[in-house]
Amino acid sequence: MSGWVNPLRDKRDKRMPRIAGPCGVVIFGVTGDLARKKLMPAIYDLANRGLLPASFSLIGFARRDWEHEDFGQVVYEAVKQHARTPFRQEVWDRLAEGIRFVQGTFDDEEAFGRLAEQLDKLDAERGTSGNHAFYLSIPPKAFQQVCEQLQKSGLARPQEGRWSRVVIEKPFGHDLQSAQELNGVVNSVFPEESVFRIDHYLGKETVQNILALRFANELYEPIWNNNYVDSVQITMAEDIGLGGRGGYYDGVGAARDVIQNHLLQLLALTAMEEPVSFGPSELQAEKIKVLSATQPMQPLDQTTARGQYAAGWQGSEKVVGLLEEEGFSEDSITETYAAITVEIDTRRWAGVPFFLRTGKRLGRRVTEIALIFKRAPHLPFDKTMTEELGQNALVIRVQPDEGITTRFGSKVPGSAMEVRDVNMDFSYGSAFAEDSPEAYERLILDVLLGEPSLFPVNKEVEMSWEILDPVLDHWASQGKPDAYEAGTWGPASADEMMHRMGREWRRP
Ligand SMILES: NC(=O)c1ccc[n+]([C@@H]2O[C@H](COP(=O)([O-])OP(=O)(O)OC[C@H]3O[C@@H](n4cnc5c(N)ncnc54)[C@H](OP(=O)(O)O)[C@@H]3O)[C@@H](O)[C@H]2O)c1
């Protein structure tokens, strides 16, 4: 009976949510911004959606002199202020039963001993079954020390049939060499399959939808190549400035902060070949393949641009320039705008430039991937009829207004034949009744389920630095970045870079 599919074989309802098995999460750095605004609220939201096990336990590790109840109050306030889903007392009460606190500093071996005891106790009392995720929401310079303490205390080595995973936040190094060193340290303690590097962009619905758009449809893939695509623009623009973030950002800059991770990951998903399946190793293999074929276009002084925002107007608000922001030195040469051009040496993409740009204090907060198509080879109209016709485009809107826009030419109503661009929109907000979960909800749940597809592996991180390092070295030899007025779309040099290539930036 070849070709016969047994309808009873897979009776699992695909709409049933995946629920994590027995486990606990230890957060290092619970007093930090990320833990308060994102991690603790996301854990509550998961509990509220019924996706955490009854035994779930949340353990905070910090140097404050707190009791379990004090930490419970901190989590409560973070949840009340930042959770996405409505507050429900019964959900909170159940979550609160599993909240514990361990006081200590990262250099205190005894504190890690107390942490191990606490986890054993929770295993016995609540049935967390020896499964633990360690979330390092701490400054990167402390990663090594915490990993080593976890190793010494035996927490990194779970017993047979149990798991121990580590979650780390960007930045994954400062350049290729430091990334290799960091990976070396982490991998000396945790095997790569137990390391979960968070790039929260990959947890966004719209980013996962790139895969659905490309590989679940017949419409797009035939034109997703250099026969039809003229160029690709990947943009992450922010309207906010850097007041108060000097400590982290000064000396790092826009390219390291955003291009190395978020934008190169978006590029990989946009440009990769179809994976054999959506299993983690198949997906990673395709991302690694395309990243290994990617390199900055030469010469770098013609194909890159960087800038630093000066005072200007953000809407109706007058704002200061970077050098007047608190936490930045007057002679800081940190770039707040970065644009690079990369090429991908594959049959599919040869000759198609990919323009990646990011910046602070730009005209609008927006993240998008735009495929700009070649012009029609022939237009059977008078020139005057198509004066306002641009190039077709497919724009994946990652945030804030998630969806997809197709731009194409259409006849303007009237007796004359005049063709102008129009947009056709798909919007998540109006197409689906359900709200998208926060990226951190999806990613934390994936850590607990041991599902690594959405986490970049060590090789991807290193390859991204290999692409970016030559650009960073070039800029390091160039002195000050070009100034641009806050509220605009970056320095004039970025527009000149595009004009040299015979193209224009989109103004989203
Ligand atoms: N905030 C974001 O949106 C964001 C985005 C992407 C990535 N990240 C990354 O996420 C991590 C955390 O970010 P964050 O913004 O939350 O940082 P943060 O506000 O500076 O918090 C750092 C945390 O680490 C703790 N800590 C530092 N040194 C310690 C030590 N020796 N012993 C014990 N605790 C120590 C701090 O505790 P004290 O309060 O006691 O000092 C604090 O809880 C960083 O790696 C950052 O690069 C953050």
Side-chain angles (χ1 to χ4, degrees), residues 238 242 249 253-255 306-310 322 328 333-338 358-362 481-482 484:
E238 291 179 284
L242 283 155
Y249 202 87
R306 69 191 172 125
Q308 191 181 68
Y309 66 83
L322 182 83
F328 287 86
I333 59 162
T334 302
E335 87 275 357
T336 58
Y337 178 97
T358 181
K360 305 274 181 196
R361 286 272 184 242
L362 297 185
D482 303 319
Y484 62 96

Side-chain angles (χ1 to χ4, degrees), residues 307-334:
Q308 191 181 68
Y309 66 83
W313 288 88
Q314 202 83 53
S316 56
E317 189 196 350
K318 195 164 182 7
V319 295
V320 298
L322 182 83
L323 301 182
E324 292 94 59
E325 296 276 24
E326 188 197 327
F328 287 86
S329 59
E330 277 172 19
D331 51 2
S332 170
I333 59 162
T334 302

Side-chain angles (χ1 to χ4, degrees), residues 233-432:
Q233 294 188 19
I234 305 182
T235 301
M236 178 184 153
E238 291 179 284
D239 51 5
I240 52 168
L242 283 155
R245 284 190 65 202
Y248 163 69
Y249 202 87
D250 204 10
V252 173
R256 287 188 173 91
D257 191 39
V258 173
I259 294 182
Q260 184 273 335
N261 36 70
H262 306 320
L263 298 197
L264 283 171
Q265 283 289 325
L266 293 184
L267 172 138
L269 294 172
T270 305
M272 71 180 193
E273 296 301 313
E274 182 175 302
V276 174
S277 77
F278 285 112
S281 49
E282 286 78 8
L283 197 59
Q284 275 148 14
E286 294 307 335
K287 283 201 281 170
I288 286 171
K289 222 164 81 189
V290 77
L291 287 173
S292 70
T294 304
Q295 55 180 324
M297 190 185 278
Q298 301 288 343
L300 296 173
D301 58 344
Q302 306 282 306
T303 62
T304 68
R306 69 191 172 125
Q308 191 181 68
Y309 66 83
W313 288 88
Q314 202 83 53
S316 56
E317 189 196 350
K318 195 164 182 7
V319 295
V320 298
L322 182 83
L323 301 182
E324 292 94 59
E325 296 276 24
E326 188 197 327
F328 287 86
S329 59
E330 277 172 19
D331 51 2
S332 170
I333 59 162
T334 302
E335 87 275 357
T336 58
Y337 178 97
I340 70 170
T341 313
V342 300
E343 47 194 2
I344 303 177
D345 293 334
T346 59
R347 174 178 283 245
R348 186 190 281 268
W349 294 118
V352 178
F354 280 67
F355 303 109
L356 276 49
R357 68 172 160 167
T358 181
K360 305 274 181 196
R361 286 272 184 242
L362 297 185
R364 233 189 103 194
R365 171 176 171 255
V366 63
T367 301
E368 63 165 41
I369 302 162
L371 277 79
I372 318 287
F373 290 89
K374 293 182 175 172
R375 289 182 190 280
H378 169 69
L379 290 173
F381 307 96
D382 285 349
K383 218 167 172 208
T384 52
M385 296 172 182
T386 55
E387 265 171 356
E388 292 186 51
L389 182 65
Q391 284 166 269
N392 294 164
L394 179 76
V395 184
I396 300 167
R397 305 192 310 268
V398 176
Q399 68 177 17
D401 168 28
E402 293 97 341
I404 294 171
T405 300
T406 307
R407 189 179 69 188
F408 57 95
S410 174
K411 181 182 172 305
V412 179
S415 48
M417 174 55 98
E418 191 190 333
V419 188
R420 194 188 292 168
D421 290 326
V422 292
N423 286 332
M424 191 161 73
D425 269 343
F426 150 70
S427 161
Y428 263 88
S430 47
F432 296 108

Side-chain angles (χ1 to χ4, degrees), residues 29-34 63-64 105-106 137-140 169-171:
V30 277
T31 52
D33 220 35
L34 183 71
R63 40 192 168 191
R64 309 287 158 96
T105 53
F106 300 153
S137 181
I138 55 176
E169 279 281 345
K170 67 162 201 178

